[in-house]
Amino acid sequence: MIQCMAIRQLHEILSAVTSRAGSEFSGIGIILADYPERLPLFPLRLDTVAALSGELTSDLVSISNKNSDYHDGFHVISSSWKLTRISQYFSPNILPEVWVNRSRRFGGRYMAALFGSALPDVIATGIASRGFGIAVFRSGVEVTFESDA
């Protein structure tokens, strides 16, 4: 039950960011995890989340702008819905046994979120982008999808 609530809340956050981001939205990738130090992450920027406001959705909207230095990579959110890492290169292992819906266009962010959701320390992952929509993943499976078309 807790996992279902987390997946629904992650989807709602991605939806809110997408709707508030405007025309400069660069897309977003989120990892829901409490122990980011255990994940295959590499910081793309050396700055920390300390400069952000602390309001999760507003901060994600701000850093998902094409003009933000922090728009690239994945951002890590804890299970208490706090932004703990921003702009992280996320490089999970390839899982050849996962099923991929090839009827839709997808890219590297989609695959990293799909593969990464199967990591033991990851609760869920999610992505959103213009022209694709929103997808949330759990245990190597796409569990929600909402097209933006």
Side-chain angles (χ1 to χ4, degrees):
M1 183 65 164
I2 291 172
Q3 299 298 337
C4 291
M5 289 173 33
I7 288 166
R8 184 172 48 248
Q9 190 162 355
L10 180 55
H11 187 98
E12 289 171 4
I13 288 168
L14 289 164
S15 182
V17 169
T18 303
S19 67
R20 290 176 44 189
S23 63
E24 296 299 309
F25 180 56
S26 64
I28 189 169
I30 294 176
I31 304 164
L32 184 58
D34 287 322
Y35 303 101
E37 65 278 3
R38 297 180 187 172
L39 301 178
L41 298 171
F42 186 84
L44 296 172
R45 306 291 176 266
L46 295 178
D47 298 338
T48 67
V49 296
L52 299 173
S53 74
E55 199 290 303
L56 181 60
T57 303
S58 295
D59 286 339
L60 291 172
V61 168
S62 174
I63 62 179
S64 297
N65 183 296
K66 291 177 186 176
N67 299 312
S68 170
D69 288 340
Y70 308 106
H71 74 272
D72 272 336
F74 280 76
H75 314 297
V76 182
I77 298 173
S78 69
S79 62
S80 60
W81 304 101
K82 303 289 184 211
L83 191 56
T84 61
R85 304 259 174 110
I86 57 173
S87 299
Q88 302 290 307
Y89 177 72
F90 185 39
S91 184
N93 288 333
I94 294 170
L95 302 174
E97 69 277 4
V98 300
W99 182 80
V100 178
N101 182 349
R102 295 187 183 275
S103 69
R104 297 190 306 258
R105 290 183 58 187
F106 59 88
R109 184 184 290 147
Y110 180 97
M111 296 308 297
L114 176 64
F115 295 148
S117 72
L119 293 170
D121 290 308
V122 171
I123 299 165
T125 58
I127 62 167
S129 63
R130 300 265 189 251
F132 173 77
I134 298 168
V136 176
F137 307 89
R138 172 82 181 126
S139 301
V141 176
E142 181 185 294
V143 293
T144 70
F145 175 71
E146 177 183 339
S147 174
D148 72 348

